[in-house]
Amino acid sequence: MKNVLFVTDPLAGLDAGIDATIGLMSASQDLGLDVWCCEPGELAVADGRVRARARRIRLRPRRPAGGDHRWIVDQAWWDELDVAVLDVAGFDLVHLRIDPPVEQRYLHTTYLLDLVEAAGTRVVNRPEGIRAMHEKLVALRFPELCPPTYVGADIAGLREFVARVGTAVVKPVDGFAGLDVWLVGDDHAAIALLESATHGGRRHVIAQQYLPAVAHGNKRLFLLDGDIVGAVLRRPCADDFRIGPPVAAAEIDDADRAIVAALRPLLVRHGLAIAGLDVIGGRLIEVNVTCPGGMHKTDALLGTRLSHAMVSRLIEPSRTYEGVSA
């Protein structure tokens, strides 16, 4: 039997009803793989080999909530079957699924997993690729695909940019999960908001022109080895300009295909097998590569099998998996 290791955050802190890592674990189990997991602190190197104190787990049954983006699961959603110290290169596949930001702990983990890749075991996503491709900034390599954007910490420069574009979404370069995201207009509040966003000019932020097309949806394109395997629409919440959970299937159009065609060589070259592209009104906003999410929610909402398709192709690259559509 093939086995897979998930290097992830503590299991107790994961939301089993929505977390994409758990969706990949569940799909792995459904496809007959043994599922093991460990935290970054449980990795070590001895005699040139990376070892992990890992737990073999079995996920308990789950079912879609019905018309929602969540799965119904037991509060205790997994059972521990075994604990062992194992050679990580002995796994058939290793998933790096630590939540961003890419800080010291994350970087140290990538350097250890470099040794696993050198030993011949595939790590998804490739550690070198995560270090090379900052998910908030990589889109700027393709300015023709993005809305007008300014990156910096200078409050005067940011204020000038906001005045030029009218309204901007401002977020920290190292931000994640919608934290510290600001909507800044060309008005008397702009300076105060920009001072707060940049911590008084000491923190780099990304400012992008606000796109009214977001009312029609922020499209998440799910990519596997540079190919689109699915798409879903997310919209701002009624009382919040930030993007909420998936709400409907998304049609893939020519603008999406052009964006993916431009990014594909870069993603493939750096081994970023699983990626999530955020697109608004045909403009590329972000390239999620550290711990791409949304698949598990989409599968629950739409009845798709994105997680299964990804696991199947990763474990058997030559196999075609027909199961993405509802």
Side-chain angles (χ1 to χ4, degrees):
M1 177 179 288
K2 293 187 175 183
N3 53 32
V4 58
L5 175 67
F6 288 83
V7 181
T8 187
D9 297 304
L11 296 182
L14 304 183
D15 186 339
I18 60 174
D19 195 281
T21 296
I22 296 176
L24 293 170
M25 289 180 178
S26 180
S28 299
Q29 179 174 293
D30 290 347
L31 292 167
L33 306 177
D34 271 346
V35 175
W36 294 76
C37 59
C38 75
E39 298 172 26
E42 295 172 312
L43 294 171
V45 180
D47 302 321
R49 307 292 293 185
V50 181
R51 305 185 188 281
R53 183 184 183 277
R55 292 164 298 287
R56 182 164 64 96
I57 65 171
R58 174 160 291 279
L59 282 72
R60 295 184 181 182
R62 62 196 40 246
R63 68 181 189 277
D68 192 13
H69 65 281
R70 298 190 64 91
W71 294 80
I72 297 174
V73 297
D74 292 343
Q75 184 173 0
W77 55 269
W78 57 277
D79 296 306
E80 186 175 287
L81 305 181
D82 195 8
V83 179
V85 177
L86 302 171
D87 185 342
V88 177
F91 285 90
D92 295 288
L93 180 68
V94 176
H95 285 276
L96 175 54
R97 298 291 304 182
I98 313 170
D99 279 340
V102 180
E103 27 73 292
Q104 187 178 64
R105 178 193 67 145
Y106 205 125
L107 285 173
H108 290 172
T109 303
T110 68
Y111 292 129
L112 294 183
L113 293 180
D114 280 342
L115 301 176
V116 175
E117 273 221 324
T121 298
R122 188 177 191 186
V123 180
V124 176
N125 280 328
R126 181 181 294 163
E128 176 276 328
I130 290 174
R131 294 193 299 269
M133 301 259 293
H134 191 293
E135 59 188 9
K136 292 288 193 298
L137 300 179
V138 67
L140 301 182
R141 301 189 191 190
F142 307 91
E144 72 280 4
L145 302 177
C146 303
T149 303
Y150 181 99
V151 179
D154 178 67
I155 295 171
L158 286 161
R159 181 67 184 90
E160 181 181 340
F161 174 78
V162 172
R164 177 162 61 86
V165 301
T167 305
V169 176
V170 179
K171 54 191 175 184
V173 166
D174 60 352
F176 63 99
L179 299 175
D180 284 344
V181 180
W182 307 71
L183 187 64
V184 181
D186 182 20
D187 55 34
H188 65 280
I191 293 292
L193 292 176
L194 293 172
E195 286 178 348
S196 295
T198 63
H199 293 181
R202 297 187 305 275
R203 177 172 72 168
H204 275 71
V205 297
I206 301 169
Q208 287 187 320
Q209 183 181 36
Y210 174 75
L211 301 177
V214 72
H216 303 295
N218 176 318
K219 190 181 299 186
R220 168 62 61 89
L221 302 176
F222 300 104
L223 270 59
L224 179 60
D225 288 329
D227 296 328
I228 302 175
V229 294
V232 71
L233 281 179
R234 303 168 301 164
R235 294 194 177 95
C237 301
D239 57 352
D240 192 340
F241 74 92
R242 294 174 298 178
I243 299 301
V247 295
E251 181 180 347
I252 299 167
D253 57 28
D254 289 342
D256 301 327
R257 296 185 185 94
I259 290 170
V260 173
L263 282 167
R264 181 181 294 114
L266 197 61
L267 295 172
V268 172
R269 181 164 72 250
H270 287 291
L272 297 169
I274 300 177
L277 309 188
D278 293 337
V279 177
I280 298 175
R283 312 303 289 174
L284 176 63
I285 304 300
E286 197 166 299
V287 183
N288 298 276
V289 297
T290 54
C291 191
M295 300 88 72
H296 201 36
K297 296 177 184 178
T298 301
D299 286 345
L301 178 71
L302 303 179
T304 51
R305 290 169 66 84
L306 291 168
S307 298
H308 287 73
M310 290 180 171
V311 171
S312 179
R313 196 190 303 180
L314 288 169
I315 205 70
E316 294 184 51
S318 61
R319 176 181 175 185
T320 300
Y321 186 84
E322 300 295 341
V324 177
S325 299

